[in-house]
Amino acid sequence: MGELKKWRDEKWVRIGTDGKIKGPCGTSKDKKNPDRCLPLAKARSLSKRQLAATARKKKKAGKKGKQFVANTSAARVRNA
């Protein structure tokens, strides 16, 4: 249960399709097709290009009605 608590207490941020951090997770104006969210530490460890790629993947699948979309391999959040 300790890992779940750590995951929940991390600061999550919203990533735009341009690869920039847009603010806290859950503040997307588009509720039907929200932006990609990642832990802040993970977002900072990725390049702007990698962030943009995972955000575009989420938006593209969201247009097709998918709610849950896997991250790209570089953006995948792994247990420490």
Side-chain angles (χ1 to χ4, degrees):
M1 190 78 158
E3 292 298 316
L4 181 60
K5 183 170 176 14
K6 281 187 219 173
W7 177 80
R8 188 194 69 203
D9 291 340
E10 282 185 80
K11 182 174 180 179
W12 286 69
V13 292
R14 192 166 48 89
I15 309 298
T17 55
D18 58 355
K20 293 183 180 178
I21 295 173
K22 299 291 186 180
C25 189
T27 59
S28 180
K29 302 239 186 287
D30 186 358
K31 299 297 181 190
K32 291 198 182 273
N33 190 7
D35 295 330
R36 168 73 73 199
C37 285
L38 288 173
L40 181 60
K42 183 64 176 185
R44 285 189 175 154
S45 73
L46 298 173
S47 70
K48 195 171 184 178
R49 177 180 245 166
Q50 289 171 321
L51 290 171
T54 193
R56 281 193 308 268
K57 182 179 177 185
K58 168 100 167 130
K59 284 292 192 179
K60 185 177 179 182
K63 284 182 184 176
K64 296 176 185 174
K66 291 192 176 184
Q67 185 177 7
F68 300 104
V69 181
N71 277 321
T72 58
S73 60
R76 193 158 293 128
V77 179
R78 294 174 179 85
N79 291 340

